[in-house]
Amino acid sequence: RRVHGDRTVRMFRFRNAKQLVCVCANGEPMKSGPAQRDVAIIENGTVIVNEEGFIVDVGSENDPSFVGKYDGLAFASDNDLTGKCCLPGLIDSHTHPVWSGDRVHEFAMKLAGATYMDIHKIGGGINFTVRHTRESSEDELRSLLLERMDRMLMHGTVLAEAKTGYGLDWENELKMLRVINSTSTLHPVALSPTFLPAHAVPQNSNASAATNDIIDNQIPKLSQLMKDGAVTCDAIDVFCEKGVFELEDSKRILEAGKNAGLLLNFHGEELSYIGGVEMGAKLGSTAISHLEHVSDEGIRAMAESRTIGVLLPTTAHILHLDPPPARKMIENNVPVAVATDFNPNAHCLSMPFAMNLACVQMRLTMEEVLVGATINAAAVMGKEKLYGSIEKGKLGNFVVLDAPRWEHLVYQLIDPPIDRVIVKGKVVYERQAE
């Protein structure tokens, strides 16, 4: 680091970005309606991060009073971003990243016309992955997860929600949760664990028996481990769907999770309408994902309860589903997030690609998808105080683009010009010069 007499500071400066895309400027915990198009930008912006990794100042090189505060100081790291754009690190608010056994063979079946439930009924889909994941050790699953997190990071993701759900019994769901907990300490990408014991009905069981086991056995054990500090978990999820966990079973599971102190963040109205959104909003759910078949009443309920709608364009794309009514949701003041839904069915680790699909398929603006991939995505996990915008007091997590406008992140399909990714003020990924 540079030394300048006694004026050396153990801080990191990222200066003179052509666009410093803060997203929020007033500490907003999420954005909805017209505000979801309002993206705060500072021209020729500079952000300063302390040695603990937190943002301590944000301003413009065009502001003499801001620049003057730092005249003569030498920073531990001083990064010139002239001609580049700096955005908040991206946040993937719905992923299934812990599993083994790919399902590439099922892709051909889908191309031939098989539906998600067709494959599920013959023992494929989730049940195929469950068999392979149960056979894998924690070390094997951790190695696979780390490789996936590397690819997330390359695409600008600094925080991802991470679900269990391929164990379907206590022993294996706990194994997945331990993998998520341990791996998050080994990698720059942070993980927010979600317990998903009700991802599918276990083979040789039924929904009622599975629900009772989750409520009477699994959630109490999880709650005790959390109290003991043995594991961490932020939310509970259920696949609320006709023929899987229907309305009453889903409600009972979510209520039990809520009573255990978990946020409610679940799959709803993906393949059919059963009233799951209305139920979830009434319970005070933080977020509901998919929403291809959400009703007008469900949209109103989500707006009233401030439940975030998590849009998953890769899944609609892969399964040939009609997309959810995203424009209607935004116009009715539902806060919206965008995520990859990474899983063996929708094998996508790129938030920029999911953002592009949301624009093209769901008619979101680029501003709306950026808000949906930053501050609203952080709010899905209850992490909006630390993530999702470039503001004082938040973590210094950024994506730097080698481009004159931030929109190139969404516009440049497949290979956006990500120059580097910064976590807590330190460069953790840098594109190699060609």
Side-chain angles (χ1 to χ4, degrees):
R1 66 193 174 97
R2 295 190 294 122
V3 178
H4 189 86
D6 61 356
R7 304 273 301 182
T8 301
V9 291
R10 295 193 61 81
M11 294 194 291
F12 312 100
R13 179 166 66 172
F14 302 88
R15 59 184 169 86
N16 201 39
K18 184 172 177 58
Q19 291 184 316
L20 182 63
V21 186
C22 300
V23 177
C24 299
N26 300 299
E28 301 94 327
M30 67 177 75
K31 294 190 175 192
S32 62
Q36 189 147 352
R37 293 192 186 191
D38 181 17
V39 172
I41 297 175
I42 298 174
E43 302 293 334
N44 302 113
T46 290
V47 56
I48 296 173
V49 180
N50 67 17
E51 63 181 326
E52 287 79 33
F54 291 92
I55 298 169
V56 294
D57 210 354
V58 180
S60 173
E61 294 293 309
N62 299 332
D63 179 357
S65 65
F66 175 78
V67 175
K69 289 189 288 185
Y70 302 101
D71 279 348
L73 291 185
F75 289 84
S77 175
D78 203 359
N79 302 266
D80 184 0
L81 302 185
T82 299
K84 296 178 169 64
C85 293
C86 182
L87 300 84
L90 302 179
I91 299 169
D92 196 345
S93 56
H94 184 124
T95 79
H96 303 257
V98 184
W99 49 269
S100 63
D102 66 62
R103 304 208 306 249
V104 66
H105 59 287
E106 292 180 5
F107 185 50
M109 298 168 66
K110 297 186 191 94
L111 295 177
T115 68
Y116 178 92
M117 291 307 291
D118 290 338
I119 294 169
H120 180 77
K121 288 174 183 175
I122 61 172
I126 291 171
N127 285 319
F128 176 88
T129 306
V130 167
R131 291 194 295 273
H132 285 266
T133 303
R134 286 179 172 180
E135 292 168 359
S136 298
S137 68
E138 288 189 29
D139 285 343
E140 289 168 335
L141 293 173
R142 188 177 299 108
S143 177
L144 290 167
L145 177 55
L146 283 167
E147 291 175 9
R148 292 160 189 162
M149 292 166 73
D150 285 344
R151 292 172 64 187
M152 289 180 182
L153 189 66
M154 289 173 56
H155 293 288
T157 297
V158 299
L159 169 65
E161 184 256 14
K163 302 179 188 292
T164 65
Y166 295 116
L168 303 189
D169 60 27
W170 171 242
E171 178 185 358
N172 287 288
E173 289 293 304
L174 178 60
K175 176 176 72 175
M176 295 180 70
L177 190 57
R178 283 197 300 255
V179 168
I180 293 167
N181 282 182
S182 62
T183 308
S184 192
T185 66
L186 303 175
H187 199 279
V189 175
L191 299 177
S192 174
T194 293
F195 188 52
L196 176 53
H199 199 189
V201 177
Q203 291 185 315
N204 303 315
S205 186
N206 58 65
S208 178
T211 298
N212 289 337
D213 179 65
I214 291 165
I215 293 170
D216 298 335
N217 176 36
Q218 297 191 42
I219 291 176
K221 288 181 177 177
L222 173 62
S223 180
Q224 188 60 53
L225 288 174
M226 291 169 62
K227 290 175 183 175
D228 295 342
V231 298
T232 61
C233 189
D234 294 332
I236 190 162
D237 192 353
V238 58
F239 187 19
C240 179
E241 182 60 64
K242 183 178 180 180
V244 191
F245 290 89
E246 300 206 14
L247 197 62
E248 189 56 34
D249 288 333
S250 295
K251 180 182 178 183
R252 291 178 59 212
I253 292 168
L254 293 171
E255 286 177 330
K258 183 176 182 177
N259 291 336
L262 299 171
L263 300 176
L264 308 186
N265 175 12
F266 70 100
H267 295 59
E269 322 291 43
E270 177 184 0
L271 304 175
S272 58
Y273 171 76
I274 62 170
V277 168
E278 291 90 330
M279 176 270 294
K282 189 172 181 179
L283 290 179
S285 296
T286 302
I288 305 174
S289 296
H290 287 291
L291 303 166
E292 281 81 358
H293 294 273
V294 64
S295 67
D296 289 349
E297 180 56 37
I299 290 173
R300 286 191 290 270
M302 290 180 73
E304 184 175 334
S305 63
R306 304 301 289 156
T307 299
I308 302 164
V310 183
L311 306 178
L312 306 173
T314 57
T315 305
H317 173 69
I318 288 290
L319 296 178
H320 303 290
L321 303 176
D322 290 333
R327 284 255 53 89
K328 183 181 286 189
M329 292 168 66
I330 290 175
E331 289 161 6
N332 283 273
N333 217 38
V334 174
V336 163
V338 176
T340 65
D341 192 18
F342 172 74
N343 69 81
N345 173 61
H347 203 293
C348 176
L349 289 158
S350 169
M351 278 297 294
F353 180 62
M355 294 161 74
N356 180 284
L357 279 182
C359 288
V360 174
Q361 294 184 348
M362 300 179 183
R363 298 174 45 234
L364 270 65
T365 68
M366 286 187 283
E367 291 80 7
E368 287 166 346
V369 296
L370 181 63
V371 168
T374 53
I375 190 63
N376 284 7
V380 168
M381 293 168 265
K383 308 291 187 185
E384 68 279 2
K385 291 183 179 179
L386 292 177
Y387 293 87
S389 62
I390 300 177
E391 296 180 277
K392 290 182 185 180
K394 294 197 175 185
L395 291 170
N397 296 340
F398 318 123
V399 176
V400 176
L401 300 183
D402 189 6
R405 293 174 59 92
W406 72 264
E407 292 93 339
H408 283 269
L409 178 69
V410 184
Y411 163 69
Q412 292 197 30
L413 188 65
I414 304 300
D415 187 29
I418 294 175
D419 179 69
R420 70 196 88 161
V421 180
I422 293 128
V423 170
K424 297 181 181 178
K426 298 179 181 178
V427 176
V428 294
Y429 167 78
E430 192 164 11
R431 179 173 286 196
Q432 298 299 312
E434 295 180 1

